[in-house]
Every structure is written in structure tokens, then in C-alpha cells.
Amino acid sequence: MDRADELRFEAFVHASAPLLLRTAFLLTGDRGHAEDLLQQALERTARKWNRLDGAPEAYARVVIVNLARDRWRRRKARVSESPVAEVSDAADAHDHADHVATRDALITALRLLPRRQRAVVVLRYFDQLTEAETAQALSITVGTVKSTSSRALSRLRELLPDLASDDDAPLVTSCVEDRS
């Protein structure tokens, strides 16, 4: 990589790292693992920098999703997760503690979704990708994105009834502003 490419890569990292870290965090539910995924994704992106044709963020996002899938496969053999008995009450928008509780409840609910549903929800609603972009990132069809999204939102409505409404925006965006 020549000096000009290094500067472009550094600019890309500074501009994209926060969003990519959030994506990794929402997929893994753990800040440390998310940082590891981001680091690995950035390393792989740097190695392929000259061949990315102006779409390094999309490439890095696919790498993060694939690394998260690998992590899920490894964890599946070791750990079984159990559902939360009760989800906290709806948050008051003016109370930071309630916002944190809502965010934690949403992250817990995301962890209870099957891997593909979680990935679709994160990419579609948190990263705000189109159905076609989500399908491309996950190597699935647009129809699969639609059906998986529908099932995931239905499950989130069950898990988080106080956040659910006719419009799913509050359900899936209640913690988007918090870039953890």
C-alpha cells in the first residue's frame, strides 16, 4: 500500500469505525468481542484495499457478519443461552436510567433471536441498509431478508411488548442513538 492509499485507508477507518463497531456490538452483544471483530475486519479490508472498488465499508461489514457467524458457531457448541424471565417496563425518554434499561432489554432480546434474524435486524434497522444490501451482505435472497425480518420483528414484539407499536421504528431504534 502506497502512502496515498494509507491516507485514504486512515480516513476510511476514522469515518467508518464507529458504525462498524456498533454493528459488531449489536451482532455479538459484547464490547470486547465487537472490538476484536472490528480489528480483524479492518485488517482484512486493508489487505484488499486496492481491490475494493470504492466500497470498503460494505466489504468490512460483510467481514464482520462472517466473523460473527464464526463466533456463533464456536459458541453454540460451548454455551446455551436461556431467555430472560421478564423484560423491564417501557422507558421514559427523559430518564437516562430508563434509556439504559431499554437499551439493555433490546440487546438482551437481540441475543435471543436466532443468528440470521439478529443479523438481518442489525443490518436492516440499525445500519439502515436496504433489503437488497442486506441480502448481499448476508449472501441470501431479498425474499429471505423480508421473511426473516418479519419473523424477527414478530419475536421482538413478543419479547418487548412495551416497546412494540404498529410502527416498528420505536422497537428497533430505541437505542440507535447510543453508539455503543
Side-chain angles (χ1 to χ4, degrees):
M1 192 181 292
D2 64 16
R3 183 65 184 148
D5 282 340
E6 285 179 18
L7 292 174
R8 283 192 293 277
F9 181 74
E10 286 178 24
F12 159 74
V13 169
H14 288 292
S16 301
L19 179 61
L20 293 171
L21 179 61
R22 184 185 65 160
T23 299
F25 175 75
L26 291 169
L27 289 171
T28 64
D30 180 272
R31 177 87 179 191
H33 290 298
E35 289 171 352
D36 291 344
L37 291 184
L38 175 61
Q39 183 65 34
Q40 290 174 346
L42 291 176
E43 287 173 11
R44 291 181 186 186
T45 302
R47 285 192 297 242
K48 301 249 183 190
W49 184 255
N50 293 326
R51 295 176 278 184
L52 295 179
D53 297 326
E57 189 171 336
Y59 178 81
R61 186 179 298 110
V62 168
V63 171
I64 286 171
V65 169
N66 288 336
L67 290 170
R69 283 180 180 162
D70 292 344
R71 181 176 178 270
W72 291 331
R73 287 181 192 120
R74 286 189 307 270
R75 284 186 65 214
K76 186 176 182 181
R78 293 181 298 177
V79 178
S80 64
E81 297 182 38
S82 57
V84 175
E86 197 173 304
V87 179
S88 64
D89 293 335
D92 177 4
H94 302 292
D95 187 353
H96 181 70
D98 284 343
H99 177 72
V100 171
T102 299
R103 179 179 165 272
D104 288 345
L106 183 57
I107 290 169
T108 299
L110 281 172
R111 287 180 183 152
L112 297 175
L113 294 178
R115 295 183 302 243
R116 181 181 283 179
Q117 289 181 10
R118 185 183 330 170
V120 167
V121 168
V122 168
L123 295 177
R124 279 286 291 132
Y125 298 101
F126 289 93
D127 286 355
Q128 298 177 342
L129 298 184
T130 65
E131 289 168 342
E133 292 168 334
T134 302
Q136 183 179 9
L138 297 174
S139 300
I140 58 178
T141 67
V142 172
T144 301
V145 169
K146 290 178 182 182
S147 62
T148 302
S149 176
S150 176
R151 285 191 301 276
L153 291 175
S154 178
R155 180 68 176 137
L156 286 174
R157 280 186 215 102
E158 291 172 12
L159 294 169
L160 303 166
D162 293 337
L163 297 179
S165 68
D166 291 336
D167 177 15
D168 287 317
L171 175 66
V172 294
T173 60
S174 59
C175 75
V176 170
E177 299 82 29
D178 187 355
R179 303 280 188 210
S180 294

